[in-house]
Amino acid sequence: MKAGCSRHSVNDVIHEVLKSAGITTIGTISRTTVSCIIAEGYIAAQIQLGYELGNAKSVCSIAIQIMLQHTYII
């Protein structure tokens, strides 16, 4: 993951974050599920970007170049 947490460690991170907030978790999340969630998030972000660009009154090409530089394909 971009934040520096491997797919293998996501379950532990989720449990620790929720534990620090006083929330008890039940169950686990697999590496496969984490990969699917990341892919779905990427696709949703691309759809949102297309929607926003399609509805923009004007578009600054430098802004698009910056956004595309920070877009990663999984």
Side-chain angles (χ1 to χ4, degrees), residues 2 46 49 53 59-72:
K2 188 176 178 185
Q46 296 304 304
L49 178 60
L53 289 173
V59 178
C60 175
S61 65
I62 190 70
I64 293 172
Q65 290 173 359
I66 291 169
M67 284 187 289
L68 292 175
Q69 288 174 357
H70 296 287
T71 301
Y72 302 95

Side-chain angles (χ1 to χ4, degrees), residues 23-53:
I23 300 170
T24 304
T25 56
I26 299 172
T28 60
I29 186 169
S30 71
R31 288 179 288 175
T32 304
T33 300
V34 171
S35 295
C36 289
I37 291 168
I38 292 169
E40 289 172 12
Y42 170 77
I43 293 167
Q46 296 304 304
I47 292 170
Q48 183 69 33
L49 178 60
Y51 173 80
E52 296 297 340
L53 289 173

Side-chain angles (χ1 to χ4, degrees), residues 14-23:
I14 290 170
H15 283 280
E16 288 301 317
V17 169
L18 293 176
K19 182 179 173 183
S20 70
I23 300 170

